[in-house]
Amino acid sequence: MKYLSKINSPEDLRKLDIKNLPLLAEEIRSFLVESVSKTGGHLASNLGVVELTIALHYCLNTPFDKIVWDVGHQAYIHKILTGRRERFDSLRQLGGLSGFPKPVESKYDTFCTGHSSTSISAAVGMAAARDLNHANYNVVSVIGDGSFTGGMVYEALNNAGRMKTKLLIILNDNGMSISRNVGAVSTYLTNLRTSKAYNEAKTDVKSALSKVPVVGEAASSFISASKKGLKKTLVYGEFFEGLGIMYVGPIDGNNIKELIRTLNKVKNLNKPVLLHIVTKKGKGYAPAEGHPDKFHGVGRFDVQSGELIDKKTDETYGDVFSKTLIRLGATKKNICAITAAMPDSTGVGSFKRFYPERTFDVGIAEEHAVTFAAGLAAGGYIPVFAVYSTFLQRSYDQLLHDVCLQNLHVIFAIDRAGIVGEDGETHQGIFDLSFLSHMPNMTVMAPCCKKELSDMLDFAVKGSGPFAIRYPKGAADNVLGGSSQPIAMGMPQKVYEGKRAAIISFGAVMKDVLEAYRRLIKEGFTPAIYNGRFASPIADEFLEELKSYEYIFTVEDNILSGGYGEKLTCSLSAKRIFGKKTVNIGFPQKFIEAGSRRELFEKYGVDDKGIYETIKDVLSDG
Ligand SMILES: Cc1ncc(C[n+]2csc(CCOP(=O)(O)OP(=O)(O)O)c2C)c(N)n1
């Protein structure tokens, strides 16, 4: 590592001669592949932006100039170049570096990201703050073509074009979201990259740009000068220009010299500019170039072969969901599946192989996906939107206003509910119970095992109105031996009879609850065990049943605030059932850091040991 080992800040980088930067890029790629092979992480996206990241820190005066990384999964090189190389082996681990930009981690991280399509809005806001302060730094948003399918992008462009302030949007176009990018916007970008018409339009660029007020002359002479040096790659993006945003590109985003020449010009333009760069996802590492989707987010792997080290063997909740939906789709011809750009990780891709005409990939557009589902339901179909808990957060009002208000029969299959682990604060799915269980008409369920997930989907398809079924990441088991009492609206399943105390387990925490129960029994405690099943509604009959207990414990993998336990406690008091000593076990109302799922359950006392200790302490004191 001739060059990389000497770079501890962007100032060190800026001292390098431009001719050595391609070698630095090579060193960074080796370092990245080696490192991520040990920690896991977002490899392919980062390999594609090595040159871009070097060029940005080389041309800009960071941290005075601000870079906002959309999603932020591609900010690893940025971290490596901004003084975090030596801690890179702690990436995504408890107490280690975050896998996403995090201002508390570094002054070079300007904005927290993790969810897509936010960077232009944030950058426009930062540019507005700069202008109010009469400052003059650059604000740059780096956003991928996948993230460009999200609706906020267009709200931000609308705002940026009107404000006319200095802002640089770099559209990193690799043709990929996690899978191949989809939709009309993606087609438009592909046309920009390839169409003959646009190449021919290059001759008109100069006259078109001369008409642009304020910077017309400067931009026009820039284009003329650049044309010679930039291999005639500049064309005219009429969509952006029509919004008042100067379009530059497309240029080769893996050519460092071309990037630097272009950035040095556009950074001085005093208006919103969109620079369209074309990059290769996974560049420089053959397995990732060949399978950019598999190496988008990857576990530990062998560098030579590209083979995963921790092979997935057990069936996951996502697998069970996918199989069940395919089974249901065969008889119920009005079931549709929807994904927001995550067909493979949600199981919707498998449904598509059987029923392509009833499968919809809407792009990274969760807000739209929910209202689109509402439209399908209004048209007589039963849409199933399979989505990660954390991303459904973006659709609160669409759920409430567009689905629940009309009591439409839409099913939300909420994967990665609860703690997700290494992706950390931005991705933990610990809020869904709190934002769903208070919605009128919404039935909210969680299975304790794989058999129950399948039963709950059957139940939801047969029912009416909206349903949310939440299940966690990872292997699913049949913890209750697969034998379950039929599902009845609002009613939990009684697992073990008991006296004095009832422990109500909500969802897949059942395994740990049963482990804690075994230890309590050994010590002479005799609590009853329930499998909660429904966070909303909670049947009156069950509340009445709880009258016979003195202590009520609830366990869930959600934040306590607004979660299952609080909902149950409020339901008891609404029924005037007083005098119960209730203790809710779950996660505190805070953003939970990265770490393995097990570590985090242990840390917050939601594992078997924590549950056992809490219950034992309370019952012993009483
Ligand atoms: C709101 C939201 N939905 C889904 C995701 C999951 N996700 C992470 S990266 C990604 C694809 C992003 O594609 P693009 O912006 O083109 O970046 P690339 O990885 O191709 O560089 C998706 C769908 C997310 N981070 N945020």
Side-chain angles (χ1 to χ4, degrees):
M1 292 206 303
K2 185 169 167 203
Y3 299 109
L4 184 57
S5 56
K6 296 191 191 79
I7 296 177
N8 295 311
S9 74
E11 284 96 78
D12 296 334
L13 169 71
R14 285 173 211 131
K15 285 179 202 144
L16 289 184
D17 193 306
I18 192 168
K19 70 174 190 308
N20 296 323
L21 297 181
L23 272 172
L24 173 67
E26 268 182 40
E27 289 182 7
I28 289 177
R29 282 203 168 84
S30 312
F31 177 82
L32 201 62
V33 171
E34 202 52 53
S35 250
V36 177
S37 75
K38 298 194 181 85
T39 58
H42 289 97
L43 183 62
S45 314
N46 279 288
L47 286 169
V49 295
V50 174
E51 287 79 9
L52 173 67
T53 315
I54 294 174
L56 278 170
H57 283 291
Y58 197 73
C59 297
L60 297 175
N61 182 18
T62 52
F64 182 66
D65 289 332
K66 320 278 178 221
I67 306 172
V68 187
W69 299 94
D70 204 276
V71 184
H73 64 313
Q74 78 294 53
Y76 293 4
I77 300 114
H78 161 81
K79 293 200 177 207
I80 291 168
L81 294 177
T82 53
R84 287 168 273 182
R85 176 176 37 83
E86 286 182 354
R87 290 180 61 210
F88 210 67
D89 57 359
S90 70
L91 190 75
R92 304 168 85 241
Q93 290 161 42
L94 192 63
L97 285 180
S98 168
F100 296 92
K102 204 170 168 180
V104 292
E105 192 179 282
S106 162
K107 63 184 176 187
Y108 293 93
D109 293 2
T110 61
F111 201 77
C112 270
T113 45
H115 290 191
S116 92
S117 319
T118 63
S119 66
I120 307 181
S121 296
V124 178
M126 286 159 76
R130 171 201 62 203
D131 296 347
L132 287 170
N133 288 334
H134 306 289
N136 63 353
Y137 47 82
N138 278 290
V139 182
V140 182
S141 141
V142 180
I143 178 163
D145 57 310
S147 300
F148 228 75
T149 57
M152 266 181 84
V153 164
Y154 301 90
E155 298 173 33
L157 292 178
N158 183 46
N159 196 181
R162 176 163 179 263
M163 279 177 41
K164 299 186 172 62
T165 192
K166 175 173 165 160
L167 171 76
L168 177 59
I169 301 162
I170 299 184
L171 170 55
N172 171 31
D173 183 358
N174 54 24
M176 298 290 291
S177 198
I178 293 179
S179 312
R180 190 145 286 289
N181 201 8
V182 293
V185 169
S186 168
T187 309
Y188 175 69
L189 296 177
T190 307
N191 287 342
L192 276 185
R193 287 202 307 258
T194 54
S195 109
K196 191 158 171 273
Y198 274 106
N199 283 313
E200 283 166 359
K202 273 189 299 216
T203 47
D204 295 332
V205 169
K206 189 169 180 189
S207 66
L209 285 167
S210 303
K211 292 180 199 130
V212 177
V214 190
V215 296
E217 268 311 309
S220 171
S221 53
F222 152 56
I223 297 292
S224 309
S226 307
K227 260 187 174 173
K228 289 177 203 119
L230 295 179
K231 295 195 226 142
K232 296 188 182 169
T233 49
L234 300 167
V235 295
Y236 180 70
E238 64 184 1
F239 171 71
F240 303 105
E241 296 282 347
L243 294 175
I245 295 165
M246 182 181 163
Y247 173 86
V248 178
I251 66 164
D252 179 353
N254 291 124
N255 180 326
I256 213 158
K257 288 186 183 147
E258 193 164 333
L259 275 171
I260 287 175
R261 269 200 300 267
T262 312
L263 282 174
N264 277 335
K265 297 287 184 182
V266 292
K267 73 179 188 188
N268 296 320
L269 296 173
N270 206 17
K271 63 176 302 196
V273 176
L274 183 134
L275 170 62
H276 184 182
I277 69 167
V278 179
T279 60
K280 177 132 194 78
K281 195 159 177 169
K283 188 170 171 65
Y285 179 57
E289 276 195 28
H291 299 282
D293 49 347
K294 293 205 176 70
F295 281 85
H296 176 87
V298 70
R300 297 182 306 140
F301 63 92
D302 174 66
V303 174
Q304 285 304 316
S305 63
E307 291 289 317
L308 284 182
I309 290 172
D310 310 305
K311 296 239 167 57
K312 182 193 139 188
T313 47
D314 297 329
E315 194 171 42
T316 64
Y317 280 98
D319 297 334
V320 176
F321 159 73
S322 174
K323 267 197 215 163
T324 311
L325 198 66
I326 291 167
R327 169 174 63 73
L328 290 167
T331 47
K332 280 269 191 189
K333 304 285 183 202
N334 59 347
I335 290 181
C336 299
I338 302 170
T339 177
M342 303 184 66
D344 297 327
S345 34
T346 56
V348 168
S350 309
F351 184 86
K352 185 179 179 183
R353 282 193 274 283
F354 291 85
Y355 318 109
E357 72 292 353
R358 287 191 269 145
T359 307
F360 301 92
D361 182 347
V362 299
I364 311 180
E366 289 80 4
E367 301 94 314
H368 162 69
V370 171
T371 306
F372 171 72
L376 274 170
Y381 282 82
I382 307 176
V384 180
F385 178 27
V387 58
Y388 285 10
S389 170
T390 188
F391 304 136
L392 187 63
Q393 283 164 202
R394 303 197 82 76
S395 316
Y396 180 80
D397 190 52
Q398 285 80 4
L399 288 159
L400 193 71
H401 180 274
D402 302 339
V403 176
C404 289
L405 179 62
Q406 305 178 77
N407 201 19
L408 290 166
H409 192 192
V410 179
I411 298 170
F412 298 95
I414 307 174
D415 199 342
R416 305 305 198 261
I419 292 290
V420 297
E422 290 79 2
D423 278 338
E425 289 91 335
T426 54
H427 282 62
Q428 310 289 15
I430 53 175
F431 301 98
D432 56 72
L433 289 177
S434 313
F435 72 80
L436 291 170
S437 329
H438 62 241
M439 290 193 181
N441 295 332
M442 180 72 89
T443 300
V444 183
M445 297 186 273
C448 71
C449 64
K450 53 177 148 181
K451 164 84 168 61
E452 198 162 74
L453 171 55
S454 166
D455 292 346
M456 283 181 172
L457 271 163
D458 276 323
F459 181 79
V461 166
K462 283 188 199 127
S464 64
F467 287 83
I469 307 173
R470 72 181 309 258
Y471 44 90
K473 180 181 180 180
D477 44 43
N478 267 329
V479 77
L480 294 181
S483 60
S484 61
Q485 293 156 19
I487 294 176
M489 187 58 101
M491 280 301 288
Q493 171 192 12
K494 190 180 231 178
V495 181
Y496 292 117
E497 297 284 350
K499 282 196 229 78
R500 206 173 150 228
I503 305 173
I504 306 153
S505 167
F506 192 75
V509 289
M510 178 60 90
K511 199 174 170 195
D512 285 67
V513 168
L514 289 180
E515 203 46 52
Y517 171 75
R518 276 175 210 120
R519 292 173 73 174
L520 289 164
I521 290 284
K522 272 192 203 147
E523 298 193 20
F525 299 101
T526 55
I529 300 284
Y530 287 87
N531 169 25
R533 284 187 173 167
F534 289 83
S536 189
I538 298 179
D540 287 353
E541 195 186 327
F542 174 52
L543 299 174
E544 292 294 329
E545 193 174 325
L546 290 180
K547 276 185 175 167
S548 64
Y549 301 100
E550 192 185 337
Y551 290 90
I552 295 168
F553 298 93
T554 62
V555 186
E556 63 193 301
D557 57 351
N558 195 82
I559 57 162
L560 290 170
S561 185
Y564 176 76
E566 280 199 5
K567 171 99 193 207
L568 183 73
T569 312
C570 289
S571 305
L572 285 168
S573 79
K575 286 285 290 175
R576 308 287 186 266
I577 299 172
F578 299 124
K580 303 290 147 210
K581 294 171 188 157
T582 54
V583 176
N584 304 138
I585 299 170
F587 289 90
Q589 186 178 344
K590 65 176 269 215
F591 292 104
I592 306 289
E593 68 272 46
S596 74
R597 269 166 50 82
R598 203 64 217 161
E599 282 170 334
L600 296 171
F601 274 90
E602 274 169 28
K603 175 166 177 184
Y604 291 95
V606 194
D607 65 326
D608 51 347
K609 182 164 169 279
I611 297 166
Y612 156 77
E613 281 169 358
T614 302
I615 297 177
K616 187 185 157 193
D617 279 358
V618 174
L619 291 179
S620 306
D621 274 3

